[in-house]
């Protein structure tokens, strides 16, 4: 019987699964705001480094307007320009102060953005910084009846706190200067390469672990059935107590439950709710790390004895001495990560716990045949597309992206993600991948290797190499799409599922094995006694 801890580990991961590739938005296309000639820019984030009395100070982030010229993309080409406060502050009338190419700082309100920009340009300003009356950034668009859109200076919206800081320095008679530029994201960041290697490597290791376990179970079955041919009828059920097998109904139910949980995350997203998710992630991470360490250490002869010696513990049942030895370390590791998860290098601990948890799930959970795998991945494919793209029409924002980023929680994303900081991105941030983008296709890849081993197929003649390659290519296409969309979140399964599932189905049909893969999921193996009788005839 599968342990209660194993069931909890599987259940928690499947409920907390998020499937998304994300790297932070840089360009913000918006098809709802009106576009017209002279007012058709994309919304881009703008870096605004500042100098106070010649000393470098804070760097703020603003957003460029729909109108006006585009900004420089390289810092070295952006001019150091002095800042002047508008008088009147809203810049809805000609400024009283004389401008000679300064960047003018104005308040939002009382007239349109384009009116402010036109007045500032006529007064001699080289750019206009508009202070929002909230801490959030606001997209500056043109009104439908506006015609004077030949604006020759860039306009940038600043959040309220940034604007108040600059205003206070100006009121103290300090000399304030700024640069305005919008750096481009590199086509490929090293973080994405490492994240790709992590995802592919995790599935590779987990598949071999699952296949090795299945092979050992098959050997045990053959030993048990050697003198009992009548038990061959129960071969499919033998040795199944060490893992959880997904059914077709469970595959469909998973998507329904995951959707409900995702909506709950979206509606209840807050600081305390993320704290609950952190606790659940730590519990699952401890289980995963413990399972992986025990399995790894038991391969060495120094630990074999302690791994095979058990002691009974209430509620948990028989537990090996090796498990008891590694558990305190696993708990301490998870607790330290939870306490210090906001420091710069905490992503390392999160990835270690996440990879261990994913590998444990891929070891415990199995799809019995290609039919279940097709239903599971097909439903996940639709689930990913719906909650990333279609949900915008119902909730006015992408539910999946909001949940993955941890909006309104005060946290830098939820913990159920593998993440690596973007090393060469001028905007910083993280490249992330959801657990679901590894676990769900990983179940199919692990199934392919188990089938190959039980059918005694060589790598070139089997399905695993093809499935593994298809997953790697699908994930690679995901990151290409991510960069083409300037970092805007993408549903990774939109690209991964057609590659992995399509390759498997096409190859199975071509080889004439699709029926076996679809229904049985394992090669036919005759019982020893029946085989011996046929040889004597």
């Amino acid at each position: 019987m599968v342990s209660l801890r194993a069931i909890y580990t599987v259940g928690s991961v499947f409920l907390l699964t998020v499937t998304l590739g994300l790297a932070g938005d840089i360009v913000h296309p918006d098809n709802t705001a009106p576009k017209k000639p002279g007012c058709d820019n994309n919304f881009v984030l703008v870096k605004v480094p500042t100098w106070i009395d010649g000393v470098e100070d804070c760097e703020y982030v603003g957003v460029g307007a729909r109108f006006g010229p585009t900004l420089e993309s390289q810092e070295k080409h952006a001019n150091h320009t002095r800042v002047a406060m508008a008088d009147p502050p809203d810049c809805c009338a000609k400024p009283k102060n004389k401008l000679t190419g300064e960047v003018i700082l104005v308040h939002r309100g009382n007239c349109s953005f384009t009116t402010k920009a036109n007045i500032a340009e006529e007064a001699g300003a080289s750019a206009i910084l508009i202070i929002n009356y909230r801490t959030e950034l606001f997209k500056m668009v043109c009104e439908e009846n506006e015609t004077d859109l030949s604006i020759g200076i860039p306009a940038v919206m600043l959040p309220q706190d940034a604007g108040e800081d600059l205003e206070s320095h100006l009121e103290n008679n300090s000399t304030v200067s700024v640069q305005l530029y919008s750096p481009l994201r590199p086509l490929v960041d090293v973080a994405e390469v490492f994240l790709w290697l992590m995802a592919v490597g995790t599935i590779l290791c987990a598949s071999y672990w699952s296949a090795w376990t299945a092979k050992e179970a098959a050997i045990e079955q053959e030993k048990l059935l050697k003198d009992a041919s009548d038990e061959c009828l129960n071969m499919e059920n033998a040795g199944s107590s060490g893992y959880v097998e997904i059914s077709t109904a469970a595959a469909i139910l998973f998507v329904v439950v995951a959707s409900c949980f995702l909506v709950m995350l979206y509606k209840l997203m807050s600081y305390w709710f993320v704290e609950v998710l952190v606790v659940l992630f730590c519990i699952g991470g401890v289980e995963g790390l413990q399972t992986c360490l025990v399995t790894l250490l038991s391969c060495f002869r120094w630990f074999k004895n302690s791994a095979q010696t058990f002691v009974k513990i209430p509620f948990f049942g028989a537990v090996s001495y090796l498990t008891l030895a590694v558990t305190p370390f696993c708990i301490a590791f998870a607790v330290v990560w939870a306490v210090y998860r906001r420091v710069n290098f905490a992503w390392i601990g999160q990835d270690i716990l996440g990879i261990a948890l994913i590998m444990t799930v891929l070891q415990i959970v199995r799809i019995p045949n290609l039919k279940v795998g097709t239903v599971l991945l097909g439903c996940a494919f639709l689930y990913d597309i719906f909650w990333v793209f279609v949900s915008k029409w119902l909730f006015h924002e992408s539910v999946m992206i909001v949940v993955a980023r941890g909006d309104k929680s005060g946290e830098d994303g939820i913990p159920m993600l593998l993440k690596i900081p973007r090393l060469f991105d001028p905007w910083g941030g993280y490249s992330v991948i959801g657990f679901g983008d590894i676990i769900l296709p990983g179940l199919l890849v692990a199934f392919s290797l188990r089938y190959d081993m039980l059918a005694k197929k060589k790598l070139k003649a089997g399905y695993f190499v093809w499935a593994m390659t298809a997953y790697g290519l699908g994930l690679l296409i995901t990151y290409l799409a991510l960069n083409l969309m300037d970092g805007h979140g993408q549903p990774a399964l939109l690209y991964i599922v057609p590659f992995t599932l399509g390759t498997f189905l096409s190859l199975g049909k071509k080889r004439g094995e699709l029926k076996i893969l679809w229904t049985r999921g394992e090669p036919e193996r005759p019982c020893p006694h029946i085989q011996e009788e046929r040889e004597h005839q």
Side-chain angles (χ1 to χ4, degrees):
M1 182 176 179
V2 181
S3 69
L4 292 176
R5 293 184 302 169
I7 293 175
Y8 171 80
T9 302
V10 175
S12 63
V13 169
F14 272 81
L15 285 177
L16 301 180
T17 291
V18 173
T19 60
L20 186 72
L22 190 68
D25 300 350
I26 300 302
V27 177
H28 302 257
D30 189 339
N31 296 323
T32 59
K35 276 188 177 184
K36 59 180 70 176
C39 190
D40 54 2
N41 295 340
N42 281 328
F43 296 107
V44 295
L45 294 181
V46 180
K47 283 184 179 287
V48 188
T50 62
W51 286 260
I52 310 300
D53 293 325
V55 180
E56 189 172 357
D57 196 59
C58 299
E59 181 179 272
Y60 303 109
V61 175
V63 63
R66 178 79 88 191
F67 51 85
T70 56
L71 291 160
E72 289 287 347
S73 62
Q74 295 184 12
E75 183 179 7
K76 62 182 180 181
H77 294 154
N79 296 324
H80 268 254
T81 311
R82 188 171 175 174
V83 178
M85 191 68 204
D87 183 17
D90 58 13
C91 199
C92 291
K94 185 177 180 180
K96 298 176 182 178
N97 48 333
K98 186 178 180 180
L99 300 176
T100 55
E102 290 88 353
V103 173
I104 190 169
L105 185 67
V106 309
H107 284 269
R108 179 183 172 187
N110 300 327
C111 61
S112 68
F113 297 122
T114 54
T115 299
K116 295 176 188 290
N118 278 314
I119 292 174
E121 184 181 8
E122 290 175 5
S126 61
I128 181 170
L129 293 176
I130 301 177
I131 306 171
N132 195 13
Y133 45 68
R134 296 177 182 173
T135 55
E136 295 84 6
L137 292 172
F138 184 84
K139 296 176 180 179
M140 296 185 289
V141 299
C142 308
E143 295 180 5
E144 293 184 7
N145 57 353
E146 288 182 305
T147 57
D148 191 6
L149 299 176
S150 299
I151 299 170
I153 62 173
V156 177
M157 171 73 73
L158 285 179
Q160 184 181 36
D161 50 356
E164 288 176 348
D165 287 346
L166 294 178
E167 194 173 11
S168 65
H169 287 302
L170 291 170
E171 289 174 350
N172 292 331
N173 296 320
S174 298
T175 301
V176 179
S177 59
V178 297
Q179 280 184 304
L180 303 176
Y181 65 103
S182 181
L184 301 175
R185 183 186 294 277
L187 289 177
V188 179
D189 192 88
V190 176
E192 293 168 354
V193 176
F194 281 109
L195 202 60
W196 184 90
L197 291 172
M198 283 169 55
V200 171
T202 299
I203 290 182
L204 185 67
C205 295
S207 296
Y208 271 98
W209 185 9
S210 177
W212 175 76
T213 305
K215 188 176 181 180
E216 291 293 313
I219 293 173
E220 290 298 320
Q221 288 178 22
E222 290 178 2
K223 289 180 180 179
L224 291 173
L225 298 175
K226 192 172 183 180
D227 298 319
S229 60
D230 58 326
E231 295 183 18
C232 282
L233 296 174
N234 298 320
M235 266 183 68
E236 293 183 0
N237 297 322
S240 64
S241 58
Y243 56 87
V244 177
E245 217 170 62
I246 302 176
S247 64
T248 304
I252 298 172
L253 183 63
F254 158 71
V255 176
V256 176
V257 174
S259 296
C260 294
F261 192 79
L262 190 66
V263 173
M264 185 176 71
L265 284 174
Y266 174 73
K267 293 293 185 180
L268 300 179
M269 185 61 67
S270 60
Y271 175 80
W272 70 266
F273 197 71
V274 171
E275 293 294 314
V276 173
L277 296 182
V278 168
V279 172
L280 293 175
F281 173 73
C282 286
I283 295 173
V286 168
E287 291 293 333
L289 189 59
Q290 172 189 282
T291 303
C292 291
L293 285 177
V294 169
T295 303
L296 182 63
L297 292 175
S298 61
C299 296
F300 298 94
R301 58 187 180 88
W302 303 286
F303 299 101
K304 271 190 175 181
N305 187 45
S306 58
Q308 296 172 356
T309 307
F310 296 85
V311 60
K312 280 192 174 183
I313 297 180
F315 182 74
F316 294 103
V319 179
S320 70
Y321 284 104
L322 184 58
T323 301
L324 291 176
V326 301
T327 298
F329 166 78
C330 298
I331 294 174
F333 187 92
V335 170
V336 169
W337 171 81
V339 172
Y340 295 100
R341 69 183 183 276
R342 294 180 183 88
V343 301
N344 293 334
F345 53 85
W347 61 272
I348 300 174
Q350 180 173 325
D351 288 350
I352 291 173
L353 291 172
I355 289 173
L357 186 53
I358 291 170
M359 290 185 63
T360 301
V361 171
L362 289 177
Q363 161 63 14
I364 295 174
V365 181
R366 295 181 183 180
I367 55 175
N369 51 50
L370 190 54
K371 177 184 177 181
V372 174
T374 301
V375 172
L376 178 64
L377 289 181
C379 291
F381 175 79
L382 298 175
Y383 163 89
D384 227 15
I385 293 173
F386 180 86
W387 290 112
V388 174
F389 295 134
V390 182
S391 62
K392 291 180 181 179
W393 300 340
L394 301 176
F395 298 90
H396 306 294
E397 56 186 348
S398 174
V399 172
M400 184 78 79
I401 292 177
V402 169
V403 170
R405 290 190 310 215
D407 291 1
K408 304 175 185 178
S409 68
E411 295 276 350
D412 187 17
I414 60 175
M416 283 70 68
L417 302 163
L418 298 186
K419 57 192 291 187
I420 295 181
R422 297 178 64 84
L423 302 177
F424 299 105
D425 192 329
W427 293 101
Y430 293 88
S431 287
V432 305
I433 185 170
F435 285 179
D437 299 326
I438 303 175
I439 292 175
L440 298 177
L443 291 171
L444 185 66
V445 176
F447 164 76
S448 68
L449 185 58
R450 288 196 305 272
Y451 179 86
D452 287 353
M453 282 196 171
L454 294 176
K456 297 180 180 179
K457 289 179 176 287
K458 294 182 179 180
L459 282 178
K460 291 183 180 180
Y463 294 90
F464 173 70
V465 171
W466 293 93
M468 194 75 244
T469 303
Y471 174 78
L473 287 174
L475 189 57
L476 180 63
I477 297 298
T478 301
Y479 285 115
L480 290 176
L482 193 66
N483 284 292
L484 289 174
M485 297 294 179
D486 294 288
H488 194 69
Q490 292 292 298
L493 294 181
L494 171 64
Y495 309 97
I496 294 173
V497 169
F499 272 86
T500 52
L501 190 58
T503 298
F504 213 137
L505 291 171
S506 300
L507 200 59
K509 185 176 182 180
K510 182 180 179 181
R511 293 175 175 177
E513 298 176 337
L514 186 58
K515 186 177 180 180
I516 297 175
L517 290 167
W518 188 261
T519 55
R520 290 178 54 85
E522 62 179 32
E524 296 185 9
R525 289 172 296 167
C527 294
H529 283 302
I530 296 175
Q531 182 68 23
E532 289 176 6
E533 290 174 5
R534 288 175 179 172
E535 290 176 356
H536 287 306
Q537 287 176 355

